[in-house]
Amino acid sequence: MSISTAAGSATYRLRRKLPDNVVGNALFSLGMVARVPYFGTILPYVSEMEPGRCVVSAPKWFGIHNHIGTFHAIAACNLAEVAMGMLMEATTPTTHRWIPKGMSAQYLTKANTRLTATATLAHPIDFATITEGTDVVVSIEIRDTDGIEVVHCDITTWVTPA
């Protein structure tokens, strides 16, 4: 993967300025929700954010329950989108921009606990070769507290020069 992160997005620069600990993660997560309020519906906590990888968790609370009391499938998709977005913010140099284009989701089993989404790039990106728009796929595994993958998402982003 050819990535220049010397400057990075404003979002990623902010994350790198905060302490790399629970307090820094909490402050960053709160700031992210302030900027993108809809993400607040799942109470996300960004624990890892680096080029090519992001880990975000969300508690199981009544606000994300479905009719059978488990983690709602669309709330899990929201968690996937948070993880994808923070991965792309950490990965995409300021010479380029990205926007979500599509999502495929597989609901594998009931989600009865808090969830953790781990986003990774499906394929390496060489930004130097992106001179026109191109699809970049981010793969997201969403696991419960037992480590069981309960949802899998692939989110296609559209990456173009800035």
Side-chain angles (χ1 to χ4, degrees), residues 81-97:
E81 189 171 2
V82 172
M84 172 280 303
M86 294 304 100
L87 175 144
M88 290 303 290
E89 285 293 300
T91 304
T92 307
T94 57
T95 56
H96 290 74
R97 61 180 167 222

Side-chain angles (χ1 to χ4, degrees), residues 32 39 42 44 46 54 56 77-87:
M32 179 193 63
F39 286 164
I42 60 165
V46 180
C54 184
V56 183
C77 287
N78 193 7
L79 178 62
E81 189 171 2
V82 172
M84 172 280 303
M86 294 304 100
L87 175 144

Side-chain angles (χ1 to χ4, degrees), residues 72-137:
H72 194 284
I74 298 304
C77 287
N78 193 7
L79 178 62
E81 189 171 2
V82 172
M84 172 280 303
M86 294 304 100
L87 175 144
M88 290 303 290
E89 285 293 300
T91 304
T92 307
T94 57
T95 56
H96 290 74
R97 61 180 167 222
W98 65 272
I99 189 166
K101 184 176 177 183
M103 175 191 286
S104 68
Q106 298 172 338
Y107 309 117
L108 305 172
T109 189
K110 291 179 189 175
N112 292 309
T113 69
R114 73 180 292 107
L115 297 180
T116 300
T118 302
T120 56
L121 292 171
H123 304 286
I125 305 169
D126 183 357
F127 286 96
T129 64
I130 300 176
T131 57
E132 295 184 24
T134 191
D135 286 343
V136 171
V137 178

Side-chain angles (χ1 to χ4, degrees), residues 50-72:
E50 61 190 42
R53 179 177 163 83
C54 184
V55 179
V56 183
S57 60
K60 182 177 174 258
W61 68 288
F62 75 90
I64 53 80
H65 285 178
N66 58 21
H67 66 288
I68 59 174
T70 62
F71 209 108
H72 194 284

